[in-house]
């Protein structure tokens, strides 16, 4: 049984759910990479500050 064989009233919520899950997954990945980038920048700044101290 494919999605296309179902009536639109059944298909629309399912396709919406699938689209939202896809968007959420992409957002989670981009948020994860953003957090990783920010952490790396903080680590680099911390290291630079430590290296600058006499």
């Amino acid at each position: 049984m494919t999605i296309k064989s179902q009536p639109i009233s059944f298909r629309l919520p399912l396709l919406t759910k699938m689209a939202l899950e896809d968007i959420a997954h992409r957002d989670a990945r981009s948020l994860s990479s953003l957090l990783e980038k920010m952490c790396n920048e903080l680590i680099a700044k911390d290291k630079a500050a430590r290296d600058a101290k006499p």
Side-chain angles (χ1 to χ4, degrees), residues 45-54:
K45 284 180 185 176
D46 185 54
K47 185 177 183 320
R50 282 193 214 168
D51 291 348
K53 285 186 181 175

Side-chain angles (χ1 to χ4, degrees), residues 12-42:
L12 196 56
L14 187 62
L15 291 172
T16 304
K17 179 178 178 285
M18 290 166 58
L20 288 174
E21 286 173 352
D22 183 52
I23 291 167
H25 185 66
R26 272 188 275 145
D27 283 352
R29 276 198 316 240
S30 61
L31 181 60
S32 172
S33 63
L34 179 63
L35 285 172
E36 184 178 0
K37 182 181 168 194
M38 289 170 63
C39 285
N40 288 338
E41 287 175 5
L42 285 172

